[in-house]
Amino acid sequence: MGISVNLARESRGRYGPYGGRYVPETLMAPLEELERAYAEARDDPGFQAELAALLRDFAGRPTPLQFASRLTEQLGGARIYLKREDLLHTGAHKINNSLGQGLLAARMGKKRVIAETGAGQHGVATATAAARLGLTCTVYMGTDDMERQRLNVFRMKLLGAEVIGVNSGSRTLKDAINEAMRDWVTNARTSHFLLGSALGAHPYPMMVRDFQKIIGEEARAQILRAEGRLPDALFACVGGGSNSIGLFHAFLGDTHVKMTGVEAGGRGKSVGEHAARLAAARGFTGARPGVLQGTYTYVLQTTDGQIATTHSVSAGLDYPAVGPEHAWLADEGRAEYTAVGDEEAVEAARTLARIEGIIPALEPAHALAELIRRAPKMKKDEIVILNLSGRGDKDMEILSRYV
């Protein structure tokens, strides 16, 4: 297929036609400053060593690659491995990126970080990184998400962050990002916008992916030690797309390794009932290329071009656009994207809890549901890795209403 894993750097933030930098003039200078600072830090052994030490000693890397023996036996098909990002400090993969960008902010002389959050895990990770690095922190969160993720709101406040509720629009992640960007426009000289997923204007998709690609790099080495070969398939949930591109990136050049991203199928296939941007082949409607929050990618839109409302039981997948690298991988056919509904995701979470003793977050439970659907049809000697990107503590109230 000829996909180059270095394409993003060669094309300055373009993934085929996607990506780019579509922002007001007031943000061009801060983004160019950030691009220069990141390029210097990426090539600085001192920065990389400090980040590696934080990831090891503070966050808890490397995370295990666990053979899910009972789930494998129960499903009767492929051998299933779980990349246990849920065991990281703060409970999800988000800490990888928050520590990386937090260190970068400190290197740039920024004393304050601004973050957006949906499920709250990125907000908690950013508040945690800020506390560890001596930075002040402001987190924007939609009021609907604040209600369904009250535990994470309290965690952020306990860590010293200011949490500002956003009551406009759909009162979810999209609106939190809008408010965070407005704050950044006003305070770009002293503050860094610590975006949590692989979306937004260049260099954010590239930078977030680079901070998350450690997931796939570890998993690749671990599966070679455990099985002596690469996996046949990878599964990960896709909201903005950071945990999935973090797993996929190390395997992009291995075209025999199939990659499946799983979006939020919500409660129906009509516009407003789901958050599936790349799963049009499965009958989900409303997605077409457009610009949202700084990047050109697939965006859920109404017939007259307005940003569509979305729905998902998981706050972290409830977003109308997707990272531009995923849009490109979908167009190229290198990765497959499908969607799982609310009820299936909840049932998958319950299955993993009862069979393996692990309660997953509702976000990776979507990927788990797709794996549960497919694994019995696979051969017993096939190997799959699922990125268990977060733990389910934050979702107890939601799960209790369903189960």
Side-chain angles (χ1 to χ4, degrees), residues 3 51 92 97 101 107 110 134 150 163 177 193 248 262 276 285-286 303 306 314 324 346 350 357 369:
I3 289 179
L51 177 57
N97 172 59
Q101 286 198 54
R107 180 188 178 98
K110 313 288 186 180
R150 286 181 290 180
V163 182
I177 294 176
F193 179 24
F248 294 171
V262 185
T285 60
T303 54
Q306 298 300 306
S314 59
V346 170
R350 181 160 60 174

mmCIF file with all atom_site columns, all heavy atoms in Angstrom, residues 3 51 92 97 101 107 110 134 150 163 177 193 248 262 276 285-286 303 306 314 324 346 350 357 369:
data_model
loop_
_atom_site.group_PDB
_atom_site.id
_atom_site.type_symbol
_atom_site.label_atom_id
_atom_site.label_alt_id
_atom_site.label_comp_id
_atom_site.label_asym_id
_atom_site.label_entity_id
_atom_site.label_seq_id
_atom_site.pdbx_PDB_ins_code
_atom_site.Cartn_x
_atom_site.Cartn_y
_atom_site.Cartn_z
_atom_site.occupancy
_atom_site.B_iso_or_equiv
_atom_site.pdbx_formal_charge
_atom_site.auth_seq_id
_atom_site.auth_comp_id
_atom_site.auth_asym_id
_atom_site.auth_atom_id
_atom_site.pdbx_PDB_model_num
ATOM 1   N N   . ILE A 1 3   ? 2.159   3.151   2.423  1.00 0.00 ? 3   ILE A N   1
ATOM 2   C CA  . ILE A 1 3   ? 1.989   4.210   3.413  1.00 0.00 ? 3   ILE A CA  1
ATOM 3   C C   . ILE A 1 3   ? 3.297   4.434   4.150  1.00 0.00 ? 3   ILE A C   1
ATOM 4   O O   . ILE A 1 3   ? 3.898   3.502   4.662  1.00 0.00 ? 3   ILE A O   1
ATOM 5   C CB  . ILE A 1 3   ? 0.867   3.864   4.400  1.00 0.00 ? 3   ILE A CB  1
ATOM 6   C CG1 . ILE A 1 3   ? -0.486  3.965   3.693  1.00 0.00 ? 3   ILE A CG1 1
ATOM 7   C CG2 . ILE A 1 3   ? 0.889   4.781   5.606  1.00 0.00 ? 3   ILE A CG2 1
ATOM 8   C CD1 . ILE A 1 3   ? -1.653  3.620   4.557  1.00 0.00 ? 3   ILE A CD1 1
ATOM 9   N N   . LEU A 1 51  ? 11.092  13.187  29.934 1.00 0.00 ? 51  LEU A N   1
ATOM 10  C CA  . LEU A 1 51  ? 9.761   12.633  29.697 1.00 0.00 ? 51  LEU A CA  1
ATOM 11  C C   . LEU A 1 51  ? 9.744   11.131  29.972 1.00 0.00 ? 51  LEU A C   1
ATOM 12  O O   . LEU A 1 51  ? 8.810   10.620  30.608 1.00 0.00 ? 51  LEU A O   1
ATOM 13  C CB  . LEU A 1 51  ? 9.326   12.913  28.257 1.00 0.00 ? 51  LEU A CB  1
ATOM 14  C CG  . LEU A 1 51  ? 7.980   12.318  27.833 1.00 0.00 ? 51  LEU A CG  1
ATOM 15  C CD1 . LEU A 1 51  ? 6.857   12.794  28.741 1.00 0.00 ? 51  LEU A CD1 1
ATOM 16  C CD2 . LEU A 1 51  ? 7.686   12.664  26.370 1.00 0.00 ? 51  LEU A CD2 1
ATOM 17  N N   . ALA A 1 92  ? -5.904  6.110   32.614 1.00 0.00 ? 92  ALA A N   1
ATOM 18  C CA  . ALA A 1 92  ? -6.096  6.068   31.165 1.00 0.00 ? 92  ALA A CA  1
ATOM 19  C C   . ALA A 1 92  ? -4.830  6.498   30.448 1.00 0.00 ? 92  ALA A C   1
ATOM 20  O O   . ALA A 1 92  ? -3.900  7.047   31.049 1.00 0.00 ? 92  ALA A O   1
ATOM 21  C CB  . ALA A 1 92  ? -7.263  6.966   30.744 1.00 0.00 ? 92  ALA A CB  1
ATOM 22  N N   . ASN A 1 97  ? 0.208   11.910  26.955 1.00 0.00 ? 97  ASN A N   1
ATOM 23  C CA  . ASN A 1 97  ? 0.204   13.175  26.234 1.00 0.00 ? 97  ASN A CA  1
ATOM 24  C C   . ASN A 1 97  ? 0.254   14.373  27.180 1.00 0.00 ? 97  ASN A C   1
ATOM 25  O O   . ASN A 1 97  ? 0.941   15.365  26.906 1.00 0.00 ? 97  ASN A O   1
ATOM 26  C CB  . ASN A 1 97  ? -1.048  13.245  25.356 1.00 0.00 ? 97  ASN A CB  1
ATOM 27  C CG  . ASN A 1 97  ? -1.252  14.599  24.718 1.00 0.00 ? 97  ASN A CG  1
ATOM 28  O OD1 . ASN A 1 97  ? -0.413  15.095  23.978 1.00 0.00 ? 97  ASN A OD1 1
ATOM 29  N ND2 . ASN A 1 97  ? -2.378  15.226  25.017 1.00 0.00 ? 97  ASN A ND2 1
ATOM 30  N N   . GLN A 1 101 ? 3.079   17.232  26.805 1.00 0.00 ? 101 GLN A N   1
ATOM 31  C CA  . GLN A 1 101 ? 2.767   18.633  26.542 1.00 0.00 ? 101 GLN A CA  1
ATOM 32  C C   . GLN A 1 101 ? 3.029   19.525  27.749 1.00 0.00 ? 101 GLN A C   1
ATOM 33  O O   . GLN A 1 101 ? 3.396   20.699  27.594 1.00 0.00 ? 101 GLN A O   1
ATOM 34  C CB  . GLN A 1 101 ? 1.326   18.783  26.081 1.00 0.00 ? 101 GLN A CB  1
ATOM 35  C CG  . GLN A 1 101 ? 1.060   18.317  24.671 1.00 0.00 ? 101 GLN A CG  1
ATOM 36  C CD  . GLN A 1 101 ? -0.238  18.865  24.131 1.00 0.00 ? 101 GLN A CD  1
ATOM 37  O OE1 . GLN A 1 101 ? -0.485  20.065  24.135 1.00 0.00 ? 101 GLN A OE1 1
ATOM 38  N NE2 . GLN A 1 101 ? -1.093  17.967  23.648 1.00 0.00 ? 101 GLN A NE2 1
ATOM 39  N N   . ARG A 1 107 ? 8.962   24.129  29.181 1.00 0.00 ? 107 ARG A N   1
ATOM 40  C CA  . ARG A 1 107 ? 10.145  24.454  28.370 1.00 0.00 ? 107 ARG A CA  1
ATOM 41  C C   . ARG A 1 107 ? 9.948   25.778  27.635 1.00 0.00 ? 107 ARG A C   1
ATOM 42  O O   . ARG A 1 107 ? 10.899  26.542  27.441 1.00 0.00 ? 107 ARG A O   1
ATOM 43  C CB  . ARG A 1 107 ? 10.380  23.310  27.369 1.00 0.00 ? 107 ARG A CB  1
ATOM 44  C CG  . ARG A 1 107 ? 11.568  23.488  26.436 1.00 0.00 ? 107 ARG A CG  1
ATOM 45  C CD  . ARG A 1 107 ? 11.546  22.379  25.385 1.00 0.00 ? 107 ARG A CD  1
ATOM 46  N NE  . ARG A 1 107 ? 12.617  22.490  24.405 1.00 0.00 ? 107 ARG A NE  1
ATOM 47  C CZ  . ARG A 1 107 ? 13.751  21.820  24.437 1.00 0.00 ? 107 ARG A CZ  1
ATOM 48  N NH1 . ARG A 1 107 ? 13.974  20.945  25.403 1.00 0.00 ? 107 ARG A NH1 1
ATOM 49  N NH2 . ARG A 1 107 ? 14.662  21.984  23.487 1.00 0.00 ? 107 ARG A NH2 1
ATOM 50  N N   . LYS A 1 110 ? 5.716   28.773  29.625 1.00 0.00 ? 110 LYS A N   1
ATOM 51  C CA  . LYS A 1 110 ? 4.291   28.972  29.924 1.00 0.00 ? 110 LYS A CA  1
ATOM 52  C C   . LYS A 1 110 ? 4.008   28.452  31.332 1.00 0.00 ? 110 LYS A C   1
ATOM 53  O O   . LYS A 1 110 ? 4.329   27.312  31.654 1.00 0.00 ? 110 LYS A O   1
ATOM 54  C CB  . LYS A 1 110 ? 3.421   28.228  28.923 1.00 0.00 ? 110 LYS A CB  1
ATOM 55  C CG  . LYS A 1 110 ? 3.810   28.425  27.462 1.00 0.00 ? 110 LYS A CG  1
ATOM 56  C CD  . LYS A 1 110 ? 3.486   29.794  26.940 1.00 0.00 ? 110 LYS A CD  1
ATOM 57  C CE  . LYS A 1 110 ? 3.768   29.888  25.449 1.00 0.00 ? 110 LYS A CE  1
ATOM 58  N NZ  . LYS A 1 110 ? 3.464   31.201  24.877 1.00 0.00 ? 110 LYS A NZ  1
ATOM 59  N N   . GLY A 1 134 ? 4.259   21.924  38.556 1.00 0.00 ? 134 GLY A N   1
ATOM 60  C CA  . GLY A 1 134 ? 4.175   23.259  39.135 1.00 0.00 ? 134 GLY A CA  1
ATOM 61  C C   . GLY A 1 134 ? 3.522   24.286  38.232 1.00 0.00 ? 134 GLY A C   1
ATOM 62  O O   . GLY A 1 134 ? 3.860   25.476  38.276 1.00 0.00 ? 134 GLY A O   1
ATOM 63  N N   . ARG A 1 150 ? -19.173 13.225  37.256 1.00 0.00 ? 150 ARG A N   1
ATOM 64  C CA  . ARG A 1 150 ? -18.979 14.041  38.459 1.00 0.00 ? 150 ARG A CA  1
ATOM 65  C C   . ARG A 1 150 ? -17.733 13.631  39.249 1.00 0.00 ? 150 ARG A C   1
ATOM 66  O O   . ARG A 1 150 ? -17.074 14.474  39.852 1.00 0.00 ? 150 ARG A O   1
ATOM 67  C CB  . ARG A 1 150 ? -20.226 13.956  39.350 1.00 0.00 ? 150 ARG A CB  1
ATOM 68  C CG  . ARG A 1 150 ? -21.399 14.755  38.807 1.00 0.00 ? 150 ARG A CG  1
ATOM 69  C CD  . ARG A 1 150 ? -22.611 14.673  39.707 1.00 0.00 ? 150 ARG A CD  1
ATOM 70  N NE  . ARG A 1 150 ? -23.209 13.339  39.667 1.00 0.00 ? 150 ARG A NE  1
ATOM 71  C CZ  . ARG A 1 150 ? -24.287 13.002  40.367 1.00 0.00 ? 150 ARG A CZ  1
ATOM 72  N NH1 . ARG A 1 150 ? -24.850 13.882  41.192 1.00 0.00 ? 150 ARG A NH1 1
ATOM 73  N NH2 . ARG A 1 150 ? -24.788 11.789  40.272 1.00 0.00 ? 150 ARG A NH2 1
ATOM 74  N N   . VAL A 1 163 ? -12.151 24.204  37.192 1.00 0.00 ? 163 VAL A N   1
ATOM 75  C CA  . VAL A 1 163 ? -13.009 23.538  36.220 1.00 0.00 ? 163 VAL A CA  1
ATOM 76  C C   . VAL A 1 163 ? -14.147 24.487  35.860 1.00 0.00 ? 163 VAL A C   1
ATOM 77  O O   . VAL A 1 163 ? -14.914 24.907  36.727 1.00 0.00 ? 163 VAL A O   1
ATOM 78  C CB  . VAL A 1 163 ? -13.575 22.214  36.766 1.00 0.00 ? 163 VAL A CB  1
ATOM 79  C CG1 . VAL A 1 163 ? -14.418 21.515  35.699 1.00 0.00 ? 163 VAL A CG1 1
ATOM 80  C CG2 . VAL A 1 163 ? -12.446 21.297  37.228 1.00 0.00 ? 163 VAL A CG2 1
ATOM 81  N N   . ILE A 1 177 ? -14.000 22.467  23.765 1.00 0.00 ? 177 ILE A N   1
ATOM 82  C CA  . ILE A 1 177 ? -12.844 22.838  22.945 1.00 0.00 ? 177 ILE A CA  1
ATOM 83  C C   . ILE A 1 177 ? -12.976 24.284  22.478 1.00 0.00 ? 177 ILE A C   1
ATOM 84  O O   . ILE A 1 177 ? -12.009 25.059  22.499 1.00 0.00 ? 177 ILE A O   1
ATOM 85  C CB  . ILE A 1 177 ? -12.694 21.885  21.746 1.00 0.00 ? 177 ILE A CB  1
ATOM 86  C CG1 . ILE A 1 177 ? -12.349 20.471  22.223 1.00 0.00 ? 177 ILE A CG1 1
ATOM 87  C CG2 . ILE A 1 177 ? -11.615 22.388  20.786 1.00 0.00 ? 177 ILE A CG2 1
ATOM 88  C CD1 . ILE A 1 177 ? -12.288 19.435  21.111 1.00 0.00 ? 177 ILE A CD1 1
ATOM 89  N N   . PHE A 1 193 ? -2.324  25.719  25.350 1.00 0.00 ? 193 PHE A N   1
ATOM 90  C CA  . PHE A 1 193 ? -3.532  24.909  25.177 1.00 0.00 ? 193 PHE A CA  1
ATOM 91  C C   . PHE A 1 193 ? -3.103  23.456  25.046 1.00 0.00 ? 193 PHE A C   1
ATOM 92  O O   . PHE A 1 193 ? -2.528  23.052  24.046 1.00 0.00 ? 193 PHE A O   1
ATOM 93  C CB  . PHE A 1 193 ? -4.296  25.376  23.941 1.00 0.00 ? 193 PHE A CB  1
ATOM 94  C CG  . PHE A 1 193 ? -5.554  24.589  23.655 1.00 0.00 ? 193 PHE A CG  1
ATOM 95  C CD1 . PHE A 1 193 ? -6.234  23.903  24.660 1.00 0.00 ? 193 PHE A CD1 1
ATOM 96  C CD2 . PHE A 1 193 ? -6.076  24.548  22.374 1.00 0.00 ? 193 PHE A CD2 1
ATOM 97  C CE1 . PHE A 1 193 ? -7.389  23.179  24.389 1.00 0.00 ? 193 PHE A CE1 1
ATOM 98  C CE2 . PHE A 1 193 ? -7.229  23.828  22.084 1.00 0.00 ? 193 PHE A CE2 1
ATOM 99  C CZ  . PHE A 1 193 ? -7.888  23.148  23.091 1.00 0.00 ? 193 PHE A CZ  1
ATOM 100 N N   . PHE A 1 248 ? -1.942  2.076   16.675 1.00 0.00 ? 248 PHE A N   1
ATOM 101 C CA  . PHE A 1 248 ? -1.779  1.731   15.262 1.00 0.00 ? 248 PHE A CA  1
ATOM 102 C C   . PHE A 1 248 ? -0.424  2.143   14.695 1.00 0.00 ? 248 PHE A C   1
ATOM 103 O O   . PHE A 1 248 ? 0.119   1.460   13.815 1.00 0.00 ? 248 PHE A O   1
ATOM 104 C CB  . PHE A 1 248 ? -2.871  2.407   14.423 1.00 0.00 ? 248 PHE A CB  1
ATOM 105 C CG  . PHE A 1 248 ? -4.272  1.938   14.667 1.00 0.00 ? 248 PHE A CG  1
ATOM 106 C CD1 . PHE A 1 248 ? -5.352  2.621   14.104 1.00 0.00 ? 248 PHE A CD1 1
ATOM 107 C CD2 . PHE A 1 248 ? -4.537  0.814   15.433 1.00 0.00 ? 248 PHE A CD2 1
ATOM 108 C CE1 . PHE A 1 248 ? -6.649  2.196   14.306 1.00 0.00 ? 248 PHE A CE1 1
ATOM 109 C CE2 . PHE A 1 248 ? -5.848  0.381   15.656 1.00 0.00 ? 248 PHE A CE2 1
ATOM 110 C CZ  . PHE A 1 248 ? -6.906  1.082   15.092 1.00 0.00 ? 248 PHE A CZ  1
ATOM 111 N N   . VAL A 1 262 ? -13.082 1.645   16.343 1.00 0.00 ? 262 VAL A N   1
ATOM 112 C CA  . VAL A 1 262 ? -14.496 1.477   16.673 1.00 0.00 ? 262 VAL A CA  1
ATOM 113 C C   . VAL A 1 262 ? -15.043 2.782   17.237 1.00 0.00 ? 262 VAL A C   1
ATOM 114 O O   . VAL A 1 262 ? -14.590 3.273   18.272 1.00 0.00 ? 262 VAL A O   1
ATOM 115 C CB  . VAL A 1 262 ? -14.707 0.324   17.669 1.00 0.00 ? 262 VAL A CB  1
ATOM 116 C CG1 . VAL A 1 262 ? -16.197 0.095   17.905 1.00 0.00 ? 262 VAL A CG1 1
ATOM 117 C CG2 . VAL A 1 262 ? -14.044 -0.958  17.151 1.00 0.00 ? 262 VAL A CG2 1
ATOM 118 N N   . ALA A 1 276 ? -20.477 8.467   14.804 1.00 0.00 ? 276 ALA A N   1
ATOM 119 C CA  . ALA A 1 276 ? -19.700 7.652   13.870 1.00 0.00 ? 276 ALA A CA  1
ATOM 120 C C   . ALA A 1 276 ? -19.380 8.482   12.635 1.00 0.00 ? 276 ALA A C   1
ATOM 121 O O   . ALA A 1 276 ? -20.261 8.742   11.815 1.00 0.00 ? 276 ALA A O   1
ATOM 122 C CB  . ALA A 1 276 ? -20.474 6.392   13.500 1.00 0.00 ? 276 ALA A CB  1
ATOM 123 N N   . THR A 1 285 ? -25.147 7.884   9.092  1.00 0.00 ? 285 THR A N   1
ATOM 124 C CA  . THR A 1 285 ? -25.290 9.021   8.190  1.00 0.00 ? 285 THR A CA  1
ATOM 125 C C   . THR A 1 285 ? -24.752 10.307  8.799  1.00 0.00 ? 285 THR A C   1
ATOM 126 O O   . THR A 1 285 ? -24.601 10.432  10.012 1.00 0.00 ? 285 THR A O   1
ATOM 127 C CB  . THR A 1 285 ? -26.769 9.226   7.830  1.00 0.00 ? 285 THR A CB  1
ATOM 128 O OG1 . THR A 1 285 ? -27.512 9.470   9.040  1.00 0.00 ? 285 THR A OG1 1
ATOM 129 C CG2 . THR A 1 285 ? -27.341 8.000   7.133  1.00 0.00 ? 285 THR A CG2 1
ATOM 130 N N   . GLY A 1 286 ? -24.464 11.269  7.919  1.00 0.00 ? 286 GLY A N   1
ATOM 131 C CA  . GLY A 1 286 ? -24.162 12.626  8.356  1.00 0.00 ? 286 GLY A CA  1
ATOM 132 C C   . GLY A 1 286 ? -22.724 13.068  8.215  1.00 0.00 ? 286 GLY A C   1
ATOM 133 O O   . GLY A 1 286 ? -22.437 14.261  8.345  1.00 0.00 ? 286 GLY A O   1
ATOM 134 N N   . THR A 1 303 ? -27.832 18.556  6.799  1.00 0.00 ? 303 THR A N   1
ATOM 135 C CA  . THR A 1 303 ? -27.911 18.716  5.346  1.00 0.00 ? 303 THR A CA  1
ATOM 136 C C   . THR A 1 303 ? -27.531 20.119  4.897  1.00 0.00 ? 303 THR A C   1
ATOM 137 O O   . THR A 1 303 ? -27.069 20.310  3.766  1.00 0.00 ? 303 THR A O   1
ATOM 138 C CB  . THR A 1 303 ? -29.325 18.382  4.852  1.00 0.00 ? 303 THR A CB  1
ATOM 139 O OG1 . THR A 1 303 ? -30.278 19.167  5.587  1.00 0.00 ? 303 THR A OG1 1
ATOM 140 C CG2 . THR A 1 303 ? -29.633 16.896  5.051  1.00 0.00 ? 303 THR A CG2 1
ATOM 141 N N   . GLN A 1 306 ? -24.456 22.569  8.935  1.00 0.00 ? 306 GLN A N   1
ATOM 142 C CA  . GLN A 1 306 ? -24.215 22.895  10.337 1.00 0.00 ? 306 GLN A CA  1
ATOM 143 C C   . GLN A 1 306 ? -23.639 21.678  11.058 1.00 0.00 ? 306 GLN A C   1
ATOM 144 O O   . GLN A 1 306 ? -23.914 20.532  10.688 1.00 0.00 ? 306 GLN A O   1
ATOM 145 C CB  . GLN A 1 306 ? -25.522 23.320  11.019 1.00 0.00 ? 306 GLN A CB  1
ATOM 146 C CG  . GLN A 1 306 ? -26.148 24.563  10.421 1.00 0.00 ? 306 GLN A CG  1
ATOM 147 C CD  . GLN A 1 306 ? -25.243 25.764  10.498 1.00 0.00 ? 306 GLN A CD  1
ATOM 148 O OE1 . GLN A 1 306 ? -24.758 26.134  11.567 1.00 0.00 ? 306 GLN A OE1 1
ATOM 149 N NE2 . GLN A 1 306 ? -24.982 26.386  9.347  1.00 0.00 ? 306 GLN A NE2 1
ATOM 150 N N   . SER A 1 314 ? -20.775 7.057   26.111 1.00 0.00 ? 314 SER A N   1
ATOM 151 C CA  . SER A 1 314 ? -19.435 7.388   26.594 1.00 0.00 ? 314 SER A CA  1
ATOM 152 C C   . SER A 1 314 ? -19.089 8.822   26.204 1.00 0.00 ? 314 SER A C   1
ATOM 153 O O   . SER A 1 314 ? -19.044 9.166   25.018 1.00 0.00 ? 314 SER A O   1
ATOM 154 C CB  . SER A 1 314 ? -18.402 6.419   26.008 1.00 0.00 ? 314 SER A CB  1
ATOM 155 O OG  . SER A 1 314 ? -18.423 6.469   24.597 1.00 0.00 ? 314 SER A OG  1
ATOM 156 N N   . PRO A 1 324 ? -7.436  13.859  11.783 1.00 0.00 ? 324 PRO A N   1
ATOM 157 C CA  . PRO A 1 324 ? -7.201  13.783  10.333 1.00 0.00 ? 324 PRO A CA  1
ATOM 158 C C   . PRO A 1 324 ? -6.396  12.578  9.882  1.00 0.00 ? 324 PRO A C   1
ATOM 159 O O   . PRO A 1 324 ? -6.576  12.107  8.752  1.00 0.00 ? 324 PRO A O   1
ATOM 160 C CB  . PRO A 1 324 ? -6.471  15.091  10.038 1.00 0.00 ? 324 PRO A CB  1
ATOM 161 C CG  . PRO A 1 324 ? -5.847  15.500  11.345 1.00 0.00 ? 324 PRO A CG  1
ATOM 162 C CD  . PRO A 1 324 ? -6.816  15.051  12.392 1.00 0.00 ? 324 PRO A CD  1
ATOM 163 N N   . VAL A 1 346 ? -22.079 -1.370  26.807 1.00 0.00 ? 346 VAL A N   1
ATOM 164 C CA  . VAL A 1 346 ? -22.340 -1.651  28.222 1.00 0.00 ? 346 VAL A CA  1
ATOM 165 C C   . VAL A 1 346 ? -22.252 -3.157  28.487 1.00 0.00 ? 346 VAL A C   1
ATOM 166 O O   . VAL A 1 346 ? -21.660 -3.599  29.478 1.00 0.00 ? 346 VAL A O   1
ATOM 167 C CB  . VAL A 1 346 ? -23.713 -1.101  28.638 1.00 0.00 ? 346 VAL A CB  1
ATOM 168 C CG1 . VAL A 1 346 ? -24.105 -1.593  30.029 1.00 0.00 ? 346 VAL A CG1 1
ATOM 169 C CG2 . VAL A 1 346 ? -23.706 0.428   28.606 1.00 0.00 ? 346 VAL A CG2 1
ATOM 170 N N   . ARG A 1 350 ? -19.609 -5.310  30.953 1.00 0.00 ? 350 ARG A N   1
ATOM 171 C CA  . ARG A 1 350 ? -20.032 -6.303  31.953 1.00 0.00 ? 350 ARG A CA  1
ATOM 172 C C   . ARG A 1 350 ? -19.373 -7.657  31.696 1.00 0.00 ? 350 ARG A C   1
ATOM 173 O O   . ARG A 1 350 ? -18.953 -8.340  32.637 1.00 0.00 ? 350 ARG A O   1
ATOM 174 C CB  . ARG A 1 350 ? -21.549 -6.440  31.935 1.00 0.00 ? 350 ARG A CB  1
ATOM 175 C CG  . ARG A 1 350 ? -22.059 -7.442  32.965 1.00 0.00 ? 350 ARG A CG  1
ATOM 176 C CD  . ARG A 1 350 ? -23.514 -7.263  33.298 1.00 0.00 ? 350 ARG A CD  1
ATOM 177 N NE  . ARG A 1 350 ? -24.396 -7.413  32.164 1.00 0.00 ? 350 ARG A NE  1
ATOM 178 C CZ  . ARG A 1 350 ? -25.729 -7.402  32.254 1.00 0.00 ? 350 ARG A CZ  1
ATOM 179 N NH1 . ARG A 1 350 ? -26.301 -7.217  33.428 1.00 0.00 ? 350 ARG A NH1 1
ATOM 180 N NH2 . ARG A 1 350 ? -26.473 -7.544  31.180 1.00 0.00 ? 350 ARG A NH2 1
ATOM 181 N N   . GLY A 1 357 ? -12.243 -10.024 35.324 1.00 0.00 ? 357 GLY A N   1
ATOM 182 C CA  . GLY A 1 357 ? -12.036 -9.234  36.537 1.00 0.00 ? 357 GLY A CA  1
ATOM 183 C C   . GLY A 1 357 ? -11.522 -7.831  36.271 1.00 0.00 ? 357 GLY A C   1
ATOM 184 O O   . GLY A 1 357 ? -10.857 -7.241  37.115 1.00 0.00 ? 357 GLY A O   1
ATOM 185 N N   . ALA A 1 369 ? -16.576 -4.651  22.414 1.00 0.00 ? 369 ALA A N   1
ATOM 186 C CA  . ALA A 1 369 ? -17.804 -5.229  21.854 1.00 0.00 ? 369 ALA A CA  1
ATOM 187 C C   . ALA A 1 369 ? -17.585 -5.702  20.424 1.00 0.00 ? 369 ALA A C   1
ATOM 188 O O   . ALA A 1 369 ? -18.066 -6.770  20.020 1.00 0.00 ? 369 ALA A O   1
ATOM 189 C CB  . ALA A 1 369 ? -18.935 -4.205  21.908 1.00 0.00 ? 369 ALA A CB  1
#
